[in-house]
Structure formats: C-alpha cells, structure tokens
Amino acid sequence: MALIVARNRADLRKARGDGPVALVPTMGALHEGHRSLIRDARARAAQVVVSIFVNPLQFGPHEDFSRYPRTFEADLAVCEAEGADVVFAPSAEDMYAPDRQVSLHSGEMGRIVEGAARPGHFDGMLTVVLKLFNLVQPDLAVFGQKDAQQLAMIRRMVADLDLDIEIVGAPTVREPDGLALSSRNRYLSAADRQVALVLSRALRAGAAQAAAPKILGAARAVLDAAAPALDLDYLVLVDPSTFAEVGESYSGAAVLAVAARVGATRLIDNVVVSVGG
Ligand code: PAF
C-alpha cells in the first residue's frame, strides 16, 4: 500500500485503519535509529503511523529549534522503505491554537537530570506526546532508549493518566565506533565527532565496573580526560523508572546517563548497567 501523508487532523482521521495501530513519534531528520523504531512498530501492528513534528514547546529560548534539521522528503522515503502506512506531519498552527491554555506539567521528575539542564523541556515533550496519542489513538507507541528519561517520563504519564497504550522501548542504535545515532550528529564537524566518541567510551568504561562509585568514577575519568573539548553537563547513575540518583550501596539495574557539549552541539547518551552484581 502507498504511504499516506496526513498534513492535518482531518487527513489523519481518514487514514486510520481498523487493526492495532502503532505510533512512532519523531521530529524528522530520520536516521537508522528511527528506522529501527519503525521496523519494531511494523512487527507489532497492522498499521504504522510515523509522526513528524518539530515541537516548538520542547525547545528552550536558546536551543536549536530554528536550526533543527528538517529533511521532509528524505524522511518520507525512509518511512516508505520501512513499510510505514501513514506519516502524520501537522503544522504548528494545526497542533497549537494561538490561545492555547492547558498543557502538561511533568512534575519533580521533569525537573531533574535532563530536565534541570533544559527547563520546560519535559512539559513540552509530554504535552505534544499526549496530543499525538489523542489524535492518532494508537494501541502502542515506540520510543528509543537513547532518550531514556523521555521514555521513563512517558511511561509515568501513561500510568498517572491511565492511558490505555503500550509503551515499547527500543534499544539505542550506534555507529560501529560506538557513537549513538542522533539527528543532532549532523551538526558535528569531523573533529567534533572524534571528541563525541568519548561519551560512549565513558559509558562503556563505567559499565565494566560493578559498584556505583566505581561505575561513576571510571566513566568520569574518561570524560575528564577529554576536557575542555568536551564540556560535561552531567554524568549520573539513576533509577531507570524514576531517574532519581542511586546511592553508593545500590544494587540492581540503573541508567548511566551523560550529557555534554561538543563545540556548539549538546549530546546525550546512556547505557543500562547492572549495579552491584
Ligand atoms: O524524541 C523525539 O523525537 C521527541 O521528543 C518526540 C517524542 C517526538 C516528541 O516531540
């Protein structure tokens, strides 16, 4: 079946099929990581809807909203090649009424770690994801583990607001040298890219340790050695579902998450580690 491009909510309503629907929310600039999300969705549902919308609400005033890569024609080709049925690509005007009043509040969990670095980001992200859920009415939605706190916040929203949607977390896709795929990687110069490799190297060094202090210490040593070319924002070891930092004697699964600036580009990455065993 040919790919349907729905440019507004009326088109989307007409395109909706009967069987289980999987939604893959994206901001476009699709890469191999997104391809893997679409393939995962394809394997789970009768209809796959990919949304492409660069959501102004989740960008801070000094962030990269205006220069965020927009590659719509190439994105359509990716969706078609991966067997998506519908691309939902609304305009900002279609999504947000000018006199809009109500939006989501991501709570304390949205104010820590990535939320502390990007005030308001998770409020804007949850607001658009809830709107996409309401518009598409999917049975399931697929998100990448690359944005681990985003995934945890969406799971929290689904639980707190009693949404009947299965949330699937898909593994981070990496380049052969370890760099996690991200739409923002295209901002990196060749020299920046070499520095950016330190993020995944640090996470691997941390993951090779067992106790929480050693995990953090090993990762930090790798990151510190790359300063000042790599400007560390945070390195944390957190509970995967709450994103609260774990204590020194913690044991169980945890997320080792890092954010850093390389040149003008801010990158994030994470791995799930087994602490204390
Ligand atoms: O991960 C993203 O690309 C965005 O945060 C999302 C989930 C599409 C919401 O705008």
PDB file of all heavy atoms in Angstrom, residues 24-42:
ATOM      1  N   VAL A  24       4.922   5.864  15.929  1.00  0.00           N
ATOM      2  CA  VAL A  24       6.339   6.189  16.150  1.00  0.00           C
ATOM      3  C   VAL A  24       6.458   7.711  16.092  1.00  0.00           C
ATOM      4  O   VAL A  24       6.500   8.288  15.011  1.00  0.00           O
ATOM      5  CB  VAL A  24       7.251   5.535  15.082  1.00  0.00           C
ATOM      6  CG1 VAL A  24       8.715   5.865  15.373  1.00  0.00           C
ATOM      7  CG2 VAL A  24       7.034   4.026  15.012  1.00  0.00           C
ATOM      8  N   PRO A  25       6.492   8.363  17.258  1.00  0.00           N
ATOM      9  CA  PRO A  25       6.599   9.829  17.240  1.00  0.00           C
ATOM     10  C   PRO A  25       8.037  10.268  16.949  1.00  0.00           C
ATOM     11  O   PRO A  25       8.977   9.745  17.561  1.00  0.00           O
ATOM     12  CB  PRO A  25       6.201  10.256  18.670  1.00  0.00           C
ATOM     13  CG  PRO A  25       5.582   9.036  19.279  1.00  0.00           C
ATOM     14  CD  PRO A  25       6.250   7.873  18.621  1.00  0.00           C
ATOM     15  N   THR A  26       8.217  11.201  16.020  1.00  0.00           N
ATOM     16  CA  THR A  26       9.561  11.691  15.698  1.00  0.00           C
ATOM     17  C   THR A  26       9.507  13.195  15.421  1.00  0.00           C
ATOM     18  O   THR A  26       8.438  13.759  15.231  1.00  0.00           O
ATOM     19  CB  THR A  26      10.166  11.016  14.433  1.00  0.00           C
ATOM     20  OG1 THR A  26       9.634  11.667  13.264  1.00  0.00           O
ATOM     21  CG2 THR A  26       9.874   9.536  14.372  1.00  0.00           C
ATOM     22  N   MET A  27      10.701  13.778  15.371  1.00  0.00           N
ATOM     23  CA  MET A  27      10.796  15.174  14.918  1.00  0.00           C
ATOM     24  C   MET A  27      11.464  15.215  13.544  1.00  0.00           C
ATOM     25  O   MET A  27      12.019  16.241  13.142  1.00  0.00           O
ATOM     26  CB  MET A  27      11.573  16.010  15.943  1.00  0.00           C
ATOM     27  CG  MET A  27      10.877  16.040  17.303  1.00  0.00           C
ATOM     28  SD  MET A  27      11.292  17.458  18.321  1.00  0.00           S
ATOM     29  CE  MET A  27      13.042  17.223  18.527  1.00  0.00           C
ATOM     30  N   GLY A  28      11.415  14.099  12.821  1.00  0.00           N
ATOM     31  CA  GLY A  28      12.005  14.055  11.486  1.00  0.00           C
ATOM     32  C   GLY A  28      13.515  13.914  11.554  1.00  0.00           C
ATOM     33  O   GLY A  28      14.072  13.492  12.571  1.00  0.00           O
ATOM     34  N   ALA A  29      14.197  14.291  10.436  1.00  0.00           N
ATOM     35  CA  ALA A  29      15.643  14.077  10.295  1.00  0.00           C
ATOM     36  C   ALA A  29      15.947  12.611  10.623  1.00  0.00           C
ATOM     37  O   ALA A  29      16.835  12.291  11.424  1.00  0.00           O
ATOM     38  CB  ALA A  29      16.449  15.030  11.179  1.00  0.00           C
ATOM     39  N   LEU A  30      15.189  11.739   9.985  1.00  0.00           N
ATOM     40  CA  LEU A  30      15.203  10.319  10.349  1.00  0.00           C
ATOM     41  C   LEU A  30      16.530   9.651   9.977  1.00  0.00           C
ATOM     42  O   LEU A  30      17.100   9.911   8.913  1.00  0.00           O
ATOM     43  CB  LEU A  30      14.044   9.597   9.651  1.00  0.00           C
ATOM     44  CG  LEU A  30      12.645  10.167   9.935  1.00  0.00           C
ATOM     45  CD1 LEU A  30      11.573   9.316   9.248  1.00  0.00           C
ATOM     46  CD2 LEU A  30      12.355  10.269  11.429  1.00  0.00           C
ATOM     47  N   HIS A  31      16.995   8.800  10.867  1.00  0.00           N
ATOM     48  CA  HIS A  31      18.240   8.073  10.645  1.00  0.00           C
ATOM     49  C   HIS A  31      18.006   6.601  10.989  1.00  0.00           C
ATOM     50  O   HIS A  31      16.865   6.188  11.259  1.00  0.00           O
ATOM     51  CB  HIS A  31      19.378   8.663  11.490  1.00  0.00           C
ATOM     52  CG  HIS A  31      19.014   8.869  12.936  1.00  0.00           C
ATOM     53  ND1 HIS A  31      18.734   7.830  13.795  1.00  0.00           N
ATOM     54  CD2 HIS A  31      18.850   9.998  13.670  1.00  0.00           C
ATOM     55  CE1 HIS A  31      18.453   8.304  14.987  1.00  0.00           C
ATOM     56  NE2 HIS A  31      18.501   9.625  14.947  1.00  0.00           N
ATOM     57  N   GLU A  32      19.075   5.834  11.017  1.00  0.00           N
ATOM     58  CA  GLU A  32      18.954   4.391  11.229  1.00  0.00           C
ATOM     59  C   GLU A  32      18.246   4.062  12.556  1.00  0.00           C
ATOM     60  O   GLU A  32      17.535   3.062  12.654  1.00  0.00           O
ATOM     61  CB  GLU A  32      20.356   3.759  11.162  1.00  0.00           C
ATOM     62  CG  GLU A  32      20.377   2.247  11.099  1.00  0.00           C
ATOM     63  CD  GLU A  32      19.534   1.639   9.969  1.00  0.00           C
ATOM     64  OE1 GLU A  32      19.544   2.174   8.838  1.00  0.00           O
ATOM     65  OE2 GLU A  32      18.842   0.632  10.240  1.00  0.00           O
ATOM     66  N   GLY A  33      18.428   4.899  13.560  1.00  0.00           N
ATOM     67  CA  GLY A  33      17.735   4.678  14.840  1.00  0.00           C
ATOM     68  C   GLY A  33      16.227   4.727  14.654  1.00  0.00           C
ATOM     69  O   GLY A  33      15.486   3.878  15.168  1.00  0.00           O
ATOM     70  N   HIS A  34      15.752   5.738  13.899  1.00  0.00           N
ATOM     71  CA  HIS A  34      14.313   5.818  13.630  1.00  0.00           C
ATOM     72  C   HIS A  34      13.848   4.624  12.788  1.00  0.00           C
ATOM     73  O   HIS A  34      12.757   4.107  12.979  1.00  0.00           O
ATOM     74  CB  HIS A  34      13.978   7.106  12.878  1.00  0.00           C
ATOM     75  CG  HIS A  34      14.261   8.366  13.651  1.00  0.00           C
ATOM     76  ND1 HIS A  34      15.309   9.195  13.340  1.00  0.00           N
ATOM     77  CD2 HIS A  34      13.635   8.910  14.717  1.00  0.00           C
ATOM     78  CE1 HIS A  34      15.309  10.221  14.180  1.00  0.00           C
ATOM     79  NE2 HIS A  34      14.317  10.070  15.028  1.00  0.00           N
ATOM     80  N   ARG A  35      14.707   4.243  11.826  1.00  0.00           N
ATOM     81  CA  ARG A  35      14.338   3.075  11.003  1.00  0.00           C
ATOM     82  C   ARG A  35      14.057   1.877  11.892  1.00  0.00           C
ATOM     83  O   ARG A  35      13.114   1.130  11.679  1.00  0.00           O
ATOM     84  CB  ARG A  35      15.472   2.714  10.020  1.00  0.00           C
ATOM     85  CG  ARG A  35      15.567   3.610   8.807  1.00  0.00           C
ATOM     86  CD  ARG A  35      16.704   3.112   7.908  1.00  0.00           C
ATOM     87  NE  ARG A  35      16.948   4.004   6.797  1.00  0.00           N
ATOM     88  CZ  ARG A  35      16.389   3.887   5.583  1.00  0.00           C
ATOM     89  NH1 ARG A  35      15.569   2.894   5.328  1.00  0.00           N
ATOM     90  NH2 ARG A  35      16.659   4.750   4.642  1.00  0.00           N
ATOM     91  N   SER A  36      14.904   1.693  12.913  1.00  0.00           N
ATOM     92  CA  SER A  36      14.722   0.517  13.781  1.00  0.00           C
ATOM     93  C   SER A  36      13.416   0.646  14.575  1.00  0.00           C
ATOM     94  O   SER A  36      12.742  -0.347  14.837  1.00  0.00           O
ATOM     95  CB  SER A  36      15.927   0.294  14.685  1.00  0.00           C
ATOM     96  OG  SER A  36      15.890   1.156  15.776  1.00  0.00           O
ATOM     97  N   LEU A  37      13.029   1.882  14.947  1.00  0.00           N
ATOM     98  CA  LEU A  37      11.754   2.065  15.660  1.00  0.00           C
ATOM     99  C   LEU A  37      10.577   1.711  14.736  1.00  0.00           C
ATOM    100  O   LEU A  37       9.605   1.067  15.156  1.00  0.00           O
ATOM    101  CB  LEU A  37      11.575   3.516  16.131  1.00  0.00           C
ATOM    102  CG  LEU A  37      12.651   4.129  17.036  1.00  0.00           C
ATOM    103  CD1 LEU A  37      12.258   5.548  17.445  1.00  0.00           C
ATOM    104  CD2 LEU A  37      12.893   3.291  18.277  1.00  0.00           C
ATOM    105  N   ILE A  38      10.675   2.148  13.483  1.00  0.00           N
ATOM    106  CA  ILE A  38       9.583   1.868  12.535  1.00  0.00           C
ATOM    107  C   ILE A  38       9.478   0.360  12.274  1.00  0.00           C
ATOM    108  O   ILE A  38       8.388  -0.217  12.244  1.00  0.00           O
ATOM    109  CB  ILE A  38       9.772   2.658  11.207  1.00  0.00           C
ATOM    110  CG1 ILE A  38       9.822   4.164  11.484  1.00  0.00           C
ATOM    111  CG2 ILE A  38       8.657   2.328  10.212  1.00  0.00           C
ATOM    112  CD1 ILE A  38      10.246   5.013  10.287  1.00  0.00           C
ATOM    113  N   ARG A  39      10.648  -0.288  12.152  1.00  0.00           N
ATOM    114  CA  ARG A  39      10.637  -1.746  11.923  1.00  0.00           C
ATOM    115  C   ARG A  39      10.019  -2.466  13.120  1.00  0.00           C
ATOM    116  O   ARG A  39       9.244  -3.410  12.963  1.00  0.00           O
ATOM    117  CB  ARG A  39      12.063  -2.255  11.673  1.00  0.00           C
ATOM    118  CG  ARG A  39      12.585  -1.933  10.288  1.00  0.00           C
ATOM    119  CD  ARG A  39      13.778  -2.807   9.926  1.00  0.00           C
ATOM    120  NE  ARG A  39      14.957  -2.467  10.692  1.00  0.00           N
ATOM    121  CZ  ARG A  39      15.864  -1.552  10.312  1.00  0.00           C
ATOM    122  NH1 ARG A  39      15.721  -0.910   9.175  1.00  0.00           N
ATOM    123  NH2 ARG A  39      16.913  -1.303  11.063  1.00  0.00           N
ATOM    124  N   ASP A  40      10.362  -1.998  14.317  1.00  0.00           N
ATOM    125  CA  ASP A  40       9.812  -2.596  15.534  1.00  0.00           C
ATOM    126  C   ASP A  40       8.279  -2.433  15.531  1.00  0.00           C
ATOM    127  O   ASP A  40       7.528  -3.396  15.771  1.00  0.00           O
ATOM    128  CB  ASP A  40      10.440  -1.900  16.754  1.00  0.00           C
ATOM    129  CG  ASP A  40      10.186  -2.639  18.046  1.00  0.00           C
ATOM    130  OD1 ASP A  40       9.103  -3.230  18.173  1.00  0.00           O
ATOM    131  OD2 ASP A  40      11.053  -2.630  18.936  1.00  0.00           O
ATOM    132  N   ALA A  41       7.825  -1.229  15.207  1.00  0.00           N
ATOM    133  CA  ALA A  41       6.376  -0.958  15.160  1.00  0.00           C
ATOM    134  C   ALA A  41       5.702  -1.847  14.111  1.00  0.00           C
ATOM    135  O   ALA A  41       4.637  -2.421  14.343  1.00  0.00           O
ATOM    136  CB  ALA A  41       6.142   0.516  14.842  1.00  0.00           C
ATOM    137  N   ARG A  42       6.382  -1.965  12.950  1.00  0.00           N
ATOM    138  CA  ARG A  42       5.830  -2.754  11.832  1.00  0.00           C
ATOM    139  C   ARG A  42       5.582  -4.206  12.260  1.00  0.00           C
ATOM    140  O   ARG A  42       4.594  -4.841  11.872  1.00  0.00           O
ATOM    141  CB  ARG A  42       6.831  -2.676  10.668  1.00  0.00           C
ATOM    142  CG  ARG A  42       6.537  -3.376   9.392  1.00  0.00           C
ATOM    143  CD  ARG A  42       5.425  -2.732   8.583  1.00  0.00           C
ATOM    144  NE  ARG A  42       4.105  -2.994   9.138  1.00  0.00           N
ATOM    145  CZ  ARG A  42       3.007  -2.312   8.838  1.00  0.00           C
ATOM    146  NH1 ARG A  42       3.051  -1.303   8.012  1.00  0.00           N
ATOM    147  NH2 ARG A  42       1.851  -2.627   9.377  1.00  0.00           N
TER     148      ARG A  42
END
